Amino acid sequence: MLPDPSVWPSLRWGVIGTGVTRSFVRAVAQNTRQRVVAVTARDDLKTRAFASELGIATVAPTVDALVSNPEVDVVYVATPHPCHKEQALAAIAAGKHVLIEKPIAMSANEADEICAAGVAASVLVMEAMWTRYLAQSDLIRRVIAEGIIGDVHLVTADFGFVAPSDPSSRLWAPDLGGGALLDAGIYPISFASSILGSPDRMDVAGTLGPGGVDARAHLLLTKGDAAALVSTSITSQLPTVAAVSGSEGGIKINAPFFGPSVVTVTRGAAWDGEQGVFSDERLAQSNGGIGLQATAFASYVAEGRLESPLHPHAEIVDVMHTIDVARVALASNAARNQGSDRESKDA
């Protein structure tokens, strides 16, 4: 069962970055006992306006000032992912628990370094994969664990949108972690991981875009007798749905599968089996349930945990490893195709 927001202690949060933070701050204020007490970001004027709008008392001039503030218990790193490692390590070194936006870092090695530092410092490190803490995710876990759909054979998930090609945009800049896999692909890959675990084999297809970023990626992840098909794109409008198919039924998650949605569980054939439908209407008025991960975080701190039981460090690193391998495979495929094209022209 998921933690009750009214039970767990109120922690004092400091946030780094304002770009994707607004919904989190509002959700925390409206639906939890957590308190955001400090913020820092690059643009001081905009940061002060952000703090005034959302009732945040302290604007720290630097990251170091925020993480060293004795009035801050937890640091939420919500900057672009190339900044995550340095800022997370600074917070950990200051003895703060840390919640880091997805992807936690730029690579599996960086993710492992962050997680290891948290364990060494005896502080909680969590990636902000807030989907894991939704009631629908708890339902999916229980349906599978109780064998309602039998043995899992196939997982499918996708997330894609169209981002106009722009060299100045983070999505199209390789040095800023651009591309589909890190930005959007982590959602379907993490979903597949939550069901099947670490893949035994991976097959990758896709297309590179301007600057060499991964514009589209399609992964076949095999685990024993089961498999996952996941797709991501910044040049295609994908349906952003997910499904789990088993020997005795299946689970369908409507778009967007990674947010509060409608979950249909079918036992028997898809066209005439017994069905149950779940949705949590409360989340439509509460910033989509983003605050639930803050409550879960507080419960884990109170329990003395150093990682989330729903999203442990080993899995975080493993998902990043999957992304690393996929990115390398796409680059290798592109180089090989270019070589073939040159050979054809020379022939």
Side-chain angles (χ1 to χ4, degrees):
M1 296 297 292
L2 298 172
D4 182 347
S6 67
V7 172
W8 298 102
S10 174
L11 300 178
R12 300 167 299 180
W13 294 67
V15 299
I16 305 176
T18 58
V20 298
T21 312
R22 183 171 274 97
S23 293
F24 175 84
V25 174
R26 286 176 172 163
V28 164
Q30 293 172 5
N31 305 295
T32 80
R33 298 182 63 238
Q34 309 309 302
R35 292 185 296 132
V36 177
V37 299
V39 59
T40 191
R42 288 182 300 176
D43 188 315
D44 183 69
L45 189 62
K46 290 182 179 178
T47 306
R48 291 186 180 281
F50 178 89
S52 176
E53 174 193 347
L54 297 174
I56 301 172
T58 300
V59 175
T62 64
V63 169
D64 286 341
L66 183 134
V67 302
S68 62
N69 185 340
E71 299 300 312
V72 170
D73 303 311
V74 184
V75 174
Y76 172 40
V77 177
T79 50
H81 28 281
C83 304
H84 289 181
K85 174 187 168 183
E86 180 181 357
Q87 293 169 350
L89 291 178
I92 291 167
K96 308 299 185 185
H97 305 288
V98 61
L99 176 68
I100 308 162
E101 258 309 321
K102 70 200 85 61
I104 191 173
M106 291 285 286
S107 68
N109 285 341
E110 286 190 2
D112 188 52
E113 184 177 351
I114 293 168
C115 293
V119 171
S122 296
V123 297
L124 172 63
V125 170
M126 252 175 61
E127 184 179 51
M129 186 58 70
W130 61 284
T131 305
R132 298 288 176 105
Y133 308 97
L134 295 174
Q136 69 191 43
S137 299
D138 187 48
L139 170 70
I140 291 166
R141 286 188 289 266
R142 288 188 287 113
V143 166
I144 293 171
E146 293 170 12
I148 292 173
I149 64 168
D151 297 329
V152 172
H153 291 164
L154 179 65
V155 177
T156 59
D158 61 78
F159 180 23
F161 51 87
V162 175
S165 179
D166 178 1
S168 66
S169 166
R170 179 185 62 78
L171 280 173
W172 293 99
D175 57 332
L176 297 180
L181 281 162
L182 283 170
D183 198 85
I186 190 168
Y187 286 97
I189 293 171
S190 184
F191 178 78
S193 173
S194 72
I195 306 297
L196 297 182
S198 178
D200 302 323
R201 174 189 166 114
M202 184 189 319
D203 295 285
V204 183
T207 304
L208 297 186
V213 301
D214 46 281
R216 296 188 294 278
H218 313 285
L219 281 60
L220 171 61
L221 307 172
T222 306
K223 176 73 170 182
D225 294 332
L229 294 169
V230 301
S231 292
T232 186
S233 177
I234 53 174
T235 59
S236 311
Q237 300 287 8
L238 299 181
T240 312
V241 296
V244 183
S245 301
S247 58
E248 297 181 28
I251 305 169
K252 182 178 74 171
I253 307 100
N254 289 4
F257 75 88
F258 53 79
S261 184
V262 176
V263 178
T264 303
V265 178
T266 302
R267 184 167 175 84
W271 54 89
D272 64 358
E274 180 184 358
Q275 288 191 338
V277 179
F278 170 86
S279 64
D280 193 340
E281 301 298 334
R282 297 170 300 173
L283 299 185
Q285 289 79 40
S286 62
N287 289 294
I290 294 174
L292 294 174
Q293 71 179 343
T295 296
F297 194 103
S299 74
Y300 301 153
V301 169
E303 294 166 355
R305 296 182 183 271
L306 304 183
E307 60 185 333
S308 165
L310 301 181
H311 196 200
H313 291 168
E315 186 184 357
I316 292 171
V317 174
D318 186 71
V319 167
M320 289 305 304
H321 175 70
T322 296
I323 292 174
D324 288 349
V325 172
R327 294 176 78 194
V328 169
L330 288 173
S332 298
N333 291 345
R336 187 165 52 250
N337 291 338
Q338 287 175 356
S340 298
D341 289 343
R342 282 194 297 268
E343 290 176 5
S344 297
K345 289 178 182 178
D346 293 340

